[in-house]
Amino acid sequence: MVAAVVMRRGPVPTEAADDLDGDALQDALDVVPDGGELVITRAWTRSRSLVVRRPLRIRFAGAGAIRMVTDSTAILVETSSVEIVDAVLSGIGADSGGGSHGIAVIGPRKTPLHGITIRGGRFQDIAHDGVHLEYCDRFRVSGTRMQRLGYAGILGIGVVDGTIDANSVSDVRQPGDRVNSYGITLTRDARAAPAQTRRSARIRVLRNRISGVPEWEGIDTHAGEDIEIRGNVVSGCRVGIAAVPSKDPADRNQTSVAPIGLTIADNTVTRAPGLAPGSAILVSGAGTTVGSTRPRATGKVAGNVLTGGGGAEGEGGILVKLTRGMTIEGNRLEASVDNGICLAHSNASVSVRANRVNGVTGDGVGVNVREGANDGVISGNRFGSSRPALVVAVRFGARGNRFRVSGNSWANARVRLARGGAVITS
């Protein structure tokens, strides 16, 4: 039988009350036996983290809530086999520039935590991340609602074998001198090689709704392995979905670990006018130069519905570079700016097939193979009739590209195929 300790409804403690300094809530949590449950049914104002040190469940019910008045994480988990249900958490503000989280799960690098579940709940006005996970295996974050965050809704560093599903993240602010922000991001500590600080791997990111990350990216992985990003709805983000490399620990101006085994499928990404240029979906391997020998990104981008991506010469509805064996298939691109699909450079054995490109403003290019060191297949794509018509349906902008181009439907494109010195077969 599950033991329960219930913190009942009562007056909200203040800084002068014994809750904050004597810490009645922490004391109650500390006496819950392994496998037991703490039910929080009243609102608590706190100045320091509620620390979870043994396997148990914390459940919020009724008026149960935690409001932080300092830049401290609301709930800090330091052990495995913990479940947190329907948490109601608020922080010191998304614009504060602070480093606190709603819930943080911090495992040791060599002995990660496991069996963490965060289910349901509402998070708001959090200085950094709603849920922050480090070195954690077999976890799930499901059904949370987050708004007004400083850096990310859900962030994972070196996390493995998890699911992030049916969450809603909105209004990520990126205040002060922060250079990026995310709805959901899965990354690694790039200060060392993967043998020391592992990739995030085998994570499913499913059916989340991300909106309002205007300065950066809705869903992201840095150097992730076997990451599945499927069935999400992303809107109002500078870049909708990004899979990119992590930095080289020996040279921070370079990248050295590519994302591999990606699945980016069946997502809906809508970029509103007025955002800085950015692609609806971006995939990049490691390196910076054309033909780089650094590790390449691998995987597929399939079945997505993308509206409004692009806005600059090197952006598009889909932008890929430095990949190997990448499949771009069955996507529908609407109202892209400058490029529908942009193969920037260094894509080996890339397959662009059965996509629909309907209307591209600006430069008006359906598939743009901009630079060199690309080879593969462009086949069975449909370029829809539009006003104005596409300037070029398929464009090759440099020598050093080799492609088979066949079975495409050109509609009213002014130029069907601009060869640009590429070697093309049909």
Side-chain angles (χ1 to χ4, degrees), residues 91-294:
I92 60 170
D95 297 312
S96 67
S100 53
H101 315 299
I103 297 173
V105 181
I106 310 294
R109 178 170 57 84
K110 294 183 178 180
T111 56
L113 301 182
H114 61 269
I116 304 297
T117 299
I118 298 169
R119 178 163 51 87
R122 303 190 306 275
F123 301 65
Q124 64 183 25
D125 302 311
I126 307 297
H128 210 270
D129 311 327
V131 173
H132 179 99
L133 308 168
E134 293 187 28
Y135 299 106
C136 179
D137 298 345
R138 304 192 304 279
F139 68 90
R140 185 177 184 185
V141 181
S142 180
T144 68
R145 299 291 178 266
M146 304 183 185
Q147 62 179 345
R148 298 191 299 276
L149 305 137
Y151 186 76
I154 301 165
L155 181 149
I157 301 173
V159 292
V160 172
D161 293 324
T163 300
I164 299 171
D165 67 300
N167 300 282
S168 172
V169 178
S170 63
D171 192 5
V172 182
R173 301 286 180 87
Q174 191 177 317
D177 58 356
R178 289 178 180 160
V179 297
N180 43 39
S181 52
Y182 308 95
I184 297 170
T185 180
L186 301 166
T187 186
R188 57 175 296 271
D189 182 350
R191 293 172 297 181
Q196 287 76 47
T197 54
R198 68 185 188 178
R199 301 171 183 261
S200 289
R202 300 188 299 279
I203 312 298
R204 305 180 75 203
V205 181
L206 310 174
R207 302 183 305 281
N208 301 282
R209 302 185 71 90
I210 311 297
S211 62
V213 191
E215 302 297 329
W216 210 243
E217 298 167 353
I219 300 175
D220 162 89
T221 179
H222 280 66
E225 178 177 359
D226 295 334
I227 304 296
E228 179 183 1
I229 301 171
R230 185 185 296 273
N232 303 281
V233 177
V234 180
S235 62
C237 302
R238 180 176 176 178
V239 174
I241 299 171
V244 296
S246 62
K247 296 286 189 182
D248 187 331
D251 181 355
R252 303 294 290 178
N253 294 316
Q254 293 291 328
T255 56
S256 60
V257 185
I260 56 176
L262 297 164
T263 298
I264 302 174
D266 305 326
N267 303 285
T268 300
V269 179
T270 304
R271 292 187 73 259
L275 296 174
S279 298
I281 293 177
L282 161 64
V283 177
S284 175
T288 57
T289 58
V290 174
S292 172
T293 59
R294 293 193 171 219

Side-chain angles (χ1 to χ4, degrees), residues 323-340:
T323 70
R324 187 176 307 281
M326 181 67 62
T327 297
I328 302 169
E329 180 177 15
N331 302 284
R332 191 173 86 224
L333 297 99
E334 306 279 352
S336 302
V337 182
D338 293 326
N339 305 295

